[in-house]
Structures are given as structure tokens and as C-alpha cells.
């Protein structure tokens, strides 16, 4: 019996040892590896190198547009302010988008004195109507133009020497032209607003005669240009005053060149020239003259700052 008890005790010890080993092995299998969190988690998001902000102040010599037919095309120095943002890809290529606000252009000018029949005087001999040089009108022209340019530009930086970096560039975008124009006519005889009823009570086709009875074969338009043929004044009620408000969007393009200087590793100053073509503009049309279409060109000298966001 003692021998049987010894055997049973030995079997119990072996079983307990085996169960313990199986539990330890199962625990090892159930362990999952836990990796450390990546070092970028919790760090603030950065814009990254290459991004920059810019601002420019420019002086512009503008050609056109002709806002009203009687006011001549002119070129004047005007200021412009530009803001933008861009990206520098490498040491020689960068791009940016810019928005330019140009000084508004205002015109207030007197036009040429025009013949404007105050009424109808029939020539019974020729069956025409008198075109009298004593019946004239003066014109007053007022116009305003506001121009804003939105451009996408690309530049090539041509090396650096002692902190100086020359560059060339091209741009393309849109020019928004917002204009307001008014043309008014008054009689030179008394300064009153011009308006006449030139509707004839005749059955034949009316035409304009000179005081001597001859057919009128030339006339002077609102820009002072002599035209051939009968005057374009219809035999009907007259209203020569005109008002025109319009907003147009033109395709624009530019060519640029200049030099940048490193004030600090992040701050650069620029001196540059830009030629900007803002498309064409059609003026208001006078009753005695057609509209005028002209191209808008600008020659600009600009001084600016560029700040790298590294």
C-alpha cells in the first residue's frame, strides 16, 4: 500500500508540473508586441520650407484706355499696391499668385463743339433742311475706371552673387475693369440741355443742306475728325446724353525682370520692372461718333519684400 501511495503522489507531482508548463506556454502565446508611438505624433504641423509671402509698391506709366471718344488717350504715372503668396521649388524656380490694386483713373473733360440742329428749317427750293453752323452744342465728359489684376507668375532665379539674385519671369491672369461713363450735351446759345424734335412732316426722304442750298457732304465728329457724307443726325427726336456702367474681365499677361537682395536668410527685397498687357477696352459711344477700342498697357517699376516661411 505504501508503494501505491508513493506512485500516486509521483503521478500528481508530474501532472501539476505539466499543467503549469502549459499555462506558462499559453500566456506566452497571448502576449502581443507593443511598439513605441512614432516620434511625429504630437508635434505641431508645419507649412514646410519653400512657402513665402510678398508685397510690392509700384509706379506705373499707363497707356490707355480711352474712356470716352472726346477725351484723348493718355499716359500717366499711377501707383499700385500688390500682395501675394508663392512657393520656391529650388534655387532657380519659384511661382506665386498676386493681386494688384491700381489707383482709380478719373477723367473730366470738355469735348469738341458740335453742330446740333435746334429744330428743322426747310429749304423749299431743294426740299432739304438747314444744317446751320450757328446751332452748336458743347459736350461734357466724365469717366472713372477701376482696374484690379489677379496674376499667376513663374520666375527663374539666375544664380546669386554677394546676396544679389537676378531673375526673369512671366505671368498670366485676369484684369477686372470697372468703368462708369457719362456724356452730356448743352446748347452753346443758352447753356440749356440739348434736346430737339427733328421729325419732319414731309413725304420725301429728308436730307441736310448748307445755307446756300448745296448738299452737306462732310461733318465733324465728337473727336474733332472731319468725316465725309451726310451728318449722322437722324430726322427724329434727339437725346445725345449717354451713361454707361460696366464691368469686364480681360485676359492679361506680363513680362518681368529684376534683382532680389538677401536682407536676412528669410527676408528679401526686390527691385523689378513689369510690362503688363490688360487686354482691350471699348469706350462709350457718342451719338455723333462711334465708340473707341484701345489696348491697356502698363510699364511698372516696383519695390517689394519677400518673406520666406521656413
Amino acid at each position: 500500500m505504501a508503494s501505491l501511495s508513493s506512485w500516486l503522489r509521483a503521478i500528481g507531482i508530474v501532472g501539476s508540473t505539466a499543467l503549469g508548463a502549459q499555462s506558462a506556454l499559453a500566456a506566452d502565446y497571448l502576449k502581443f508586441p507593443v511598439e513605441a508611438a512614432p516620434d511625429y505624433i504630437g508635434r505641431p504641423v508645419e507649412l514646410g520650407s519653400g512657402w513665402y509671402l510678398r508685397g510690392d509698391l509700384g509706379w506705373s506709366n499707363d497707356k490707355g484706355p480711352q474712356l470716352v471718344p472726346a477725351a484723348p488717350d493718355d499716359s500717366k504715372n499711377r501707383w499700385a499696391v500688390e500682395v501675394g503668396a508663392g512657393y520656391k521649388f529650388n534655387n532657380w524656380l519659384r511661382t506665386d499668385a498676386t493681386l494688384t490694386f491700381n489707383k482709380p483713373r478719373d477723367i473730366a473733360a470738355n469735348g469738341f463743339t458740335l453742330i446740333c440742329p435746334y429744330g428743322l428749317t426747310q429749304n423749299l427750293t431743294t426740299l432739304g433742311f438747314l444744317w446751320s453752323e450757328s446751332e452748336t452744342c458743347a459736350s461734357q465728359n466724365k469717366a472713372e475706371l477701376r482696374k484690379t489684376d489677379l496674376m499667376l507668375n513663374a520666375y527663374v532665379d539666375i544664380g546669386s552673387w554677394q546676396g544679389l539674385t537676378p531673375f526673369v519671369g512671366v505671368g498670366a491672369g485676369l484684369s477686372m475693369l470697372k468703368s462708369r461713363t457719362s456724356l452730356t450735351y448743352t446748347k452753346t446759345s443758352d447753356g440749356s440741355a440739348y434736346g430737339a424734335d427733328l421729325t419732319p412732316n414731309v413725304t420725301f426722304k429728308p436730307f441736310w443742306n448748307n445755307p446756300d442750298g448745296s448738299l452737306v457732304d462732310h461733318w465733324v465728329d465728337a473727336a474733332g475728325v472731319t468725316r465725309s457724307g451726310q451728318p449722322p443726325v437722324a430726322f427724329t427726336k434727339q437725346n445725345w446724353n449717354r451713361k454707361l456702367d460696366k464691368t469686364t474681365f480681360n485676359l492679361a499677361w506680363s513680362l518681368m525682370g529684376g534683382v532680389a537682395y538677401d536682407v536676412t536668410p528669410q527676408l528679401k527685397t526686390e527691385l523689378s520692372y513689369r510690362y503688363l498687357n490688360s487686354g482691350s477696352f471699348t469706350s462709350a459711344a457718342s451719338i455723333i461718333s462711334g465708340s473707341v477700342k484701345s489696348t491697356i498697357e502698363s510699364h511698372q517699376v516696383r519695390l517689394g519684400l519677400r518673406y520666406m516661411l521656413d
Side-chain angles (χ1 to χ4, degrees), residues 88 90-94 155-168 258-262 268 306:
K88 182 178 180 180
N90 47 48
N91 288 333
W92 58 273
L93 179 63
R94 55 189 171 88
Y155 310 87
V156 174
D157 292 327
I158 313 172
S160 295
W161 297 270
Q162 301 298 320
L164 295 173
T165 305
F167 62 88
V168 294
V259 61
Y261 177 71
D262 296 337
K268 304 177 186 295
R306 179 160 33 105

Side-chain angles (χ1 to χ4, degrees), residues 50 89 123 132 253 256 263 278:
F89 292 93
N123 187 325
S132 175
W253 59 273
M256 296 162 285
V263 180
S278 299

Side-chain angles (χ1 to χ4, degrees), residues 11 28 37 45 53 85 98-99 159 193 208 215 239 244 256 263 288:
I11 292 172
D28 289 339
V45 178
L53 301 175
T98 57
L99 183 64
W208 295 109
L215 192 68
N239 181 10
L244 177 63
M256 296 162 285
V263 180
I288 199 72

Side-chain angles (χ1 to χ4, degrees), residues 57-232:
L57 178 64
W59 291 265
S60 179
N61 184 268
D62 297 340
K63 178 183 178 183
Q66 188 164 336
L67 298 180
V68 291
D73 187 8
D74 66 346
S75 297
K76 290 185 178 180
N77 294 321
R78 297 179 179 85
W79 56 260
V81 176
E82 182 175 272
V83 294
Y87 185 80
K88 182 178 180 180
F89 292 93
N90 47 48
N91 288 333
W92 58 273
L93 179 63
R94 55 189 171 88
T95 63
D96 59 37
T98 57
L99 183 64
T100 306
F101 303 93
N102 301 276
K103 179 183 178 181
R105 179 181 175 188
D106 297 297
I107 289 179
N110 294 325
F112 292 92
T113 300
L114 304 173
I115 296 177
C116 53
Y118 296 168
L120 289 180
T121 302
Q122 186 173 357
N123 187 325
L124 297 178
T125 303
T126 62
L127 300 182
F129 293 91
L130 179 64
W131 182 255
S132 175
E133 294 184 357
S134 65
E135 298 178 351
T136 57
C137 287
S139 63
Q140 293 80 39
N141 309 290
K142 293 183 180 180
E144 178 188 78
L145 177 67
R146 296 180 180 271
K147 185 168 80 78
T148 305
D149 307 304
L150 177 62
M151 304 293 290
L152 181 63
N153 311 293
Y155 310 87
V156 174
D157 292 327
I158 313 172
S160 295
W161 297 270
Q162 301 298 320
L164 295 173
T165 305
F167 62 88
V168 294
V170 296
L174 291 175
S175 288
M176 182 182 73
L177 307 172
K178 188 173 183 180
S179 62
R180 177 174 296 175
T181 307
S182 67
L183 308 174
T184 58
Y185 293 86
T186 57
K187 295 180 181 179
T188 55
S189 61
D190 58 11
S192 62
Y194 176 65
D197 188 353
L198 303 182
T199 305
N201 185 19
V202 294
T203 57
F204 58 87
K205 182 179 180 179
F207 52 89
W208 295 109
N209 274 352
N210 292 308
D212 63 2
S214 62
L215 192 68
V216 176
D217 59 3
H218 67 276
W219 55 280
V220 179
D221 68 13
V225 178
T226 300
R227 308 284 186 177
S228 61
Q230 284 269 288

Side-chain angles (χ1 to χ4, degrees), residues 15-29:
S16 299
T17 302
L19 288 174
Q22 289 180 351
S23 299
L25 183 61
D28 289 339
Y29 277 115

